[in-house]
Amino acid sequence: MSSRFRLFDRTAVMGSGYIFAMVNRMQMLYYVLILPKHLVHPYMMAGILGVGVLSQINLLILAKYLTSNYFVLGYRGFVQLFSEKIVRFFALLGIFFILIKVTVTTLGYVEIVHQFMFPSMKTSWLIFVLMASGFYIASQGMEKTIRLSIIGFLATIWVILVYIPYFLPPIAETHHLYPLVPGEVSLHSWYGLLMVWSALSGPEYLVCLGPWIGPKEKILRGMSIGNALSVFEYLVLFGACLLYYGSPYLEKISFPVVNMIRYLQSPGFERVDLILISLNMIYFLYLIALFLLCLYGAIRIVAGRINIKTNRKGFLGSVIAVFICMLVINGWYWREGQELNVWVTLQLWLGAITYLLVPSVLAIAMRWKRRQS
């Protein structure tokens, strides 16, 4: 049985549709639920557009590596571009970055489920359910996990339509959209732009998926469409929050994107928010599984076991270690009701840094390699 447990086998190459779905869902994680509260001012809609343009430029830089021969080779391409020692060092850093990202993603979603759906249930059980489900999906292998991105996208993209009533009278208060031009830009506004940039991070993890992504000429198109759709979704959600709450009240409400849904009336369902939160679990589980596979791959690189076949015990051990880490953080350091706790803030900075540096470092390394050859 152990010989059949192959997580990183490749039997097909995924097209631009999968790239588009992965980029879009990666950019619509936990921060989308708290971002409007920290943007507050109507003129930050222009900020979202501006950061979206910068994100597209960053994707152009990233595409230089994703369309190179190094990317197709996967781990061997990294070794050719840098060296084995440097790659192992980068993998060690990657373990930390991925661990923080999967932890904040999981605990953030658990907090929402606990607050809105199961307030009497212990959060440790919710974490266990998510991690067990993520482990099952990831154990099917990288290829099948990537294929799940399409299902996660189609199952959740339509949720944006639920917010259309907030743009229509009598719910919408158009005076809440003013002023569109800022009198002055405060430090809080700059911090909000940083949050938008970090929220749009995630596509840099595509560098871990070299053998499964192609063809080259469609990679940039898939990423660009996914990024544009993400920016559109952020604008729609932020605009709906402004029209409904207004700036003064928006900064006082927790999880405004989720709380808004509780005021919608449906003839078929009393609690529409419960349905939407449950649907979001699909792409949260998909991304948790994807990050667990990337984490396990990084551990194998650091341990020098990249050429040894994967086994259930090794993968299960890494997932259990992540689960224990989550329980420790959740029990001692995570504070419900405080969206920007120390871990969310840490992930905010780490996401912004990796999204900025990973494409740039790879582009510089390839240019340096060309000059040497």
Side-chain angles (χ1 to χ4, degrees):
M1 292 294 290
S2 60
S3 61
R4 298 180 183 177
F5 188 74
R6 297 178 180 178
L7 296 177
F8 303 113
D9 281 2
R10 185 191 70 174
T11 60
V13 176
M14 309 300 172
S16 59
Y18 291 96
I19 300 170
F20 154 70
M22 283 191 291
V23 168
N24 176 253
R25 293 299 91 183
M26 283 179 175
Q27 292 179 325
M28 299 300 295
L29 278 172
Y30 176 68
Y31 285 107
V32 69
L33 304 175
I34 64 173
L35 190 61
K37 175 179 179 178
H38 300 279
L39 296 180
V40 179
H41 304 291
Y43 57 77
M44 293 301 288
M45 287 193 291
I48 294 175
L49 278 174
V51 175
V53 172
L54 293 178
S55 176
Q56 178 59 35
I57 296 173
N58 201 48
L59 292 178
L60 290 172
I61 299 173
L62 181 62
K64 292 182 179 179
Y65 175 76
L66 299 184
T67 54
S68 69
N69 293 328
Y70 298 108
F71 178 64
V72 177
L73 295 174
Y75 172 74
R76 288 181 295 143
F78 279 116
V79 173
Q80 290 180 14
L81 194 58
F82 299 100
S83 69
E84 190 169 355
K85 288 184 178 179
I86 295 178
V87 171
R88 291 175 73 174
F89 172 72
F90 285 158
L92 184 61
L93 290 178
I95 291 173
F96 174 72
F97 291 140
I98 297 171
L99 178 61
I100 297 300
K101 190 172 187 68
V102 73
T103 298
V104 170
T105 299
T106 304
L107 295 186
Y109 183 71
V110 164
E111 180 178 353
I112 293 172
V113 173
H114 183 252
Q115 180 174 329
F116 291 93
M117 296 181 67
F118 304 110
S120 61
M121 181 180 290
K122 289 186 178 180
T123 54
S124 56
W125 283 109
L126 295 173
I127 297 172
F128 173 77
V129 170
L130 285 179
M131 289 298 295
S133 302
F135 169 76
Y136 174 76
I137 295 171
S139 65
Q140 306 305 306
M142 180 66 82
E143 188 172 304
K144 291 183 179 179
T145 301
I146 293 175
R147 291 183 185 278
L148 187 60
S149 62
I150 293 292
I151 298 176
F153 174 80
L154 294 177
T156 55
I157 186 60
W158 62 270
V159 171
I160 199 72
L161 300 176
V162 176
Y163 292 88
I164 291 179
Y166 294 101
F167 289 86
L168 305 173
I171 298 179
E173 296 287 347
T174 54
H175 67 273
H176 287 157
L177 292 179
Y178 301 101
L180 289 174
V181 179
E184 60 178 358
V185 181
S186 63
L187 182 62
H188 184 272
S189 297
W190 287 112
Y191 193 72
L193 293 177
L194 175 67
M195 288 189 67
V196 177
W197 175 260
S198 184
L200 292 176
S201 67
E204 68 271 22
Y205 288 96
L206 293 180
V207 301
C208 304
L209 310 178
W212 296 276
I213 292 181
K216 293 181 180 180
E217 61 272 11
K218 295 183 179 180
I219 289 178
L220 178 59
R221 183 177 68 181
M223 291 194 300
S224 300
I225 297 174
N227 182 72
L229 182 58
S230 299
V231 172
F232 173 75
E233 289 184 75
Y234 276 109
L235 285 172
V236 169
L237 293 173
F238 182 48
C241 288
L242 282 173
L243 289 168
Y244 186 68
Y245 294 114
S247 295
Y249 186 56
L250 177 58
E251 61 182 342
K252 296 179 174 63
I253 194 77
S254 63
F255 300 116
V257 173
V258 182
N259 269 297
M260 289 169 63
I261 304 299
R262 303 180 73 177
Y263 295 95
L264 285 180
Q265 296 181 356
S266 170
F269 302 98
E270 184 178 351
R271 293 288 303 276
V272 179
D273 57 319
L274 301 185
I275 300 173
L276 300 185
I277 292 173
S278 300
L279 279 174
N280 283 332
M281 185 182 297
I282 297 174
Y283 80 85
F284 270 94
L285 287 177
Y286 146 67
L287 288 170
I288 289 171
L290 186 67
F291 290 136
L292 287 177
L293 286 169
C294 292
L295 181 69
Y296 182 54
I299 292 173
R300 285 167 51 82
I301 291 173
V302 172
R305 299 176 61 86
I306 193 67
N307 295 317
I308 300 175
K309 291 182 179 180
T310 57
N311 60 82
R312 286 185 176 85
K313 291 182 179 179
F315 184 50
L316 179 60
S318 65
V319 173
I320 291 175
V322 175
F323 175 62
I324 293 173
C325 180
M326 285 185 186
L327 291 181
V328 172
I329 293 175
N330 181 68
W332 293 348
Y333 302 106
W334 192 272
R335 298 290 179 268
E336 283 199 15
Q338 184 182 347
E339 289 96 339
L340 282 183
N341 57 48
V342 62
W343 296 100
V344 177
T345 303
L346 177 62
Q347 169 53 32
L348 188 154
W349 284 98
L350 291 179
I353 291 171
T354 56
Y355 195 36
L356 177 66
L357 291 185
V358 169
S360 302
V361 169
L362 290 171
I364 293 171
M366 286 193 300
R367 179 173 293 184
W368 178 267
K369 197 73 174 180
R370 283 197 298 268
R371 288 182 177 180
Q372 286 185 329
S373 59

